[in-house]
Amino acid sequence: MTEKDVLLCAGAIDAQRHRDRLGVSQQRGAAAVEFAMLLPLLMALFMGTVEMGLILYNKAVLTNASREGARVGIVLRSPKPTVAEITDVVLQKSQSSLISLLPTDAPQVTVLQSSPAVWPNTLKVSVQYTFKGYVVGAVMQALGSSSLIHASTVMVNE
């Protein structure tokens, strides 16, 4: 092998290394572009998951608040609790525990008592709350509805 052949081989090896380095840097750029394109989708999925967790948590809070309100309303005492007292109990139990990403209105409470002469004498406490969020709320508004969370409890008076 002559000196000229050795120099040609060395030049070819250097050129191959240079091409390899260019390919790696181009691959890094492609990965960054792909990540930048997928990042909004991944963030939307993550935020949607967080918001669905908050909706389920708020549903549990409202269910517990409606149970507490119904329990206050059916306990035997004289005089019987008024609708306003039952509503206050439900609002106290729910408002401090509800979590929302955006400002929302207070829950709406409905108390329905059956006639005392009718058996079983039932009391129904219903709570409605509109959840507002960035992802789930936006999707629900785009579909023309709101993400309304509803809980209801019916108990028989003692």
Side-chain angles (χ1 to χ4, degrees):
M1 195 174 219
T2 66
E3 188 178 316
K4 185 178 179 183
D5 292 336
V6 171
L7 287 175
L8 283 174
C9 285
I13 291 172
D14 284 342
Q16 182 63 36
R17 285 183 185 158
H18 182 69
R19 281 193 300 270
D20 288 344
R21 276 190 250 130
L22 282 177
V24 169
S25 66
Q26 287 175 351
Q27 287 296 321
R28 285 188 197 141
V33 169
E34 289 171 1
F35 179 72
M37 289 173 62
L38 286 177
L39 184 62
L41 177 65
L42 293 174
M43 289 303 295
L45 286 173
F46 175 73
M47 287 298 296
T49 303
V50 168
E51 286 183 10
M52 286 305 294
L54 290 176
I55 288 172
L56 291 174
Y57 171 78
N58 288 338
K59 171 73 173 169
V61 167
L62 292 178
T63 301
N64 186 41
S66 70
R67 280 190 199 132
E68 291 288 332
R71 183 69 189 142
V72 165
I74 66 160
V75 171
L76 183 60
R77 78 171 211 205
S78 184
K80 286 294 241 185
T82 64
V83 171
E85 290 173 339
I86 296 170
T87 302
D88 288 342
V89 169
V90 172
L91 291 176
Q92 286 174 359
K93 296 289 182 182
S94 64
Q95 280 184 325
S96 62
S97 300
L98 290 172
I99 299 174
S100 182
L101 299 176
L102 297 172
T104 59
D105 299 328
Q108 298 173 348
V109 181
T110 306
V111 179
L112 299 173
Q113 290 184 322
S114 65
S115 172
V118 178
W119 190 89
N121 188 2
T122 60
L123 172 71
K124 180 178 181 179
V125 178
S126 300
V127 186
Q128 290 184 348
Y129 174 72
T130 302
F131 180 82
K132 294 182 182 175
Y134 292 109
V135 177
V136 175
V139 169
M140 295 300 283
Q141 284 179 350
L143 295 174
S145 66
S146 63
S147 50
L148 186 67
I149 305 171
H150 181 267
S152 180
T153 302
V154 178
M155 290 188 179
V156 178
N157 283 296
E158 294 180 350

